[in-house]
Amino acid sequence: MLRLETLGRVRVITLDRPAARNAVDPALAHWLYEAVLEFEANPDVDVAVLTGAEGAFCAGFDLKAAATGAAEDWIAGLDIPEGWRDPIGQPLASPMGPARLMLSKPVIAAIEGPAVAGGLELALWCDLRVVAADAQLGVFCRRWGVPLIDGGTVRLPMVLGQGRANDLILTGRPVAADEALAIGLADRVVAPGAARDAALALAESLTRFPQACLRADHLSARLAPEEMARRLRREWASVRTALAEGVAGAGRFAAGHGRGGSFDDI
């Protein structure tokens, strides 16, 4: 389900559930979370590349698992403690795994195929996004009534600005790679099939710099940890108002509606 490689000082983390377009179920979320914590603590690696197997980045949280109730115990244990202020290095998981962690090291998303719903949230959690020209991004969970609870409502406005974030969040429409580059959702667009190699080259280039300075500037440029924690708690509170709607939507998805990304059959 999760493959790990170390190439020089770069850690490659690959989601490996191709039959589900690398959708994240509770087991994969747990493994991904643990892998990210290990990367953060490991002094022998400086940059991570997060990608997906067989031409898909990530289709989001596994709605079939949500529809059967298999994810309930995992999600029920993920409340953000009221006193939590500093997310850096803290062992605090999210439904998709690591999306509540603020690391000291950069993570680059290498995106082929879909990066949608929770998969888009994972891509936004990364610091840079290298996107294949035929990839597709978007808040596809909009049509199922499943809320963004892995930092999407926090990070999309930070990356795109409020107006463009509103467009994606409210409509759930697909975003092609060329538009993603134009609006700042993608940092590089490369030929189909080339995202992993391009992300690895970018990651390797970052390892050549003095790392203490790079990490200090990287941290300083981001939202203050206590403010990030406040916004994530606010986002997480939305799950209580939308849970029943989301479970019903997951059931429709599991029954075959919207298969293949169709917006018409919902």
Side-chain angles (χ1 to χ4, degrees), residues 47-68:
V47 183
V49 171
L50 177 62
T51 192
E54 298 188 24
F57 180 72
C58 178
F61 192 77
D62 189 336
L63 293 185
K64 291 183 178 179
T68 63

Side-chain angles (χ1 to χ4, degrees), residues 12-259:
V12 182
I13 303 171
T14 304
L15 307 178
D16 194 8
R17 295 186 73 217
R21 306 186 90 187
N22 300 319
V24 172
D25 65 1
L28 181 53
H30 176 76
W31 294 333
L32 178 58
Y33 162 73
E34 293 290 342
V36 166
L37 286 182
E38 190 280 332
F39 158 70
E40 172 73 359
N42 190 329
D44 297 325
V45 285
D46 297 321
V47 183
V49 171
L50 177 62
T51 192
E54 298 188 24
F57 180 72
C58 178
F61 192 77
D62 189 336
L63 293 185
K64 291 183 178 179
T68 63
E72 289 181 8
D73 289 343
W74 168 247
I75 292 176
L78 297 179
D79 274 333
I80 302 175
E82 195 59 39
W84 179 67
R85 296 181 61 80
D86 185 355
I88 299 176
Q90 293 299 307
L92 190 66
S94 73
M96 293 293 292
R100 290 180 186 154
L101 298 176
M102 184 184 289
L103 306 186
S104 66
K105 302 175 183 180
V107 181
I108 301 171
I111 299 172
E112 302 275 353
V116 298
L120 178 63
E121 292 185 285
L122 277 184
L124 288 164
W125 171 74
C126 296
D127 301 290
L128 294 167
R129 285 160 291 283
V130 177
V131 179
D134 58 353
Q136 190 174 71
L137 301 88
V139 185
F140 282 17
C141 49
R142 174 59 52 237
R143 57 194 137 154
W144 308 115
V146 176
L148 293 169
I149 50 177
D150 283 81
T153 67
V154 177
R155 295 186 178 103
L156 260 176
M158 291 168 58
V159 171
L160 304 184
Q162 190 65 58
R164 285 173 169 154
N166 288 346
D167 180 14
L168 270 59
I169 290 169
L170 294 176
T171 68
R173 66 179 179 82
V175 179
D178 56 351
E179 182 185 1
L181 182 65
I183 65 177
L185 187 54
D187 298 291
R188 310 276 194 283
V189 171
V190 298
R196 183 181 186 273
D197 286 347
L200 282 171
L202 178 57
E204 197 278 331
S205 75
L206 298 186
T207 68
R208 300 176 201 166
F209 296 124
Q211 292 298 300
C213 178
L214 181 146
R215 293 176 194 175
D217 286 350
H218 179 44
L219 174 61
S220 182
R222 287 178 286 171
L223 196 67
E226 52 272 12
E227 177 60 18
M228 175 64 80
R230 185 188 69 80
R231 294 189 190 188
L232 290 174
R233 279 198 300 269
R234 181 179 176 219
E235 179 186 72
W236 183 241
S238 71
V239 75
R240 296 180 179 88
T241 63
L243 185 59
E245 193 172 74
V247 170
R252 295 199 308 278
F253 174 86
H257 294 275
R259 190 157 291 162

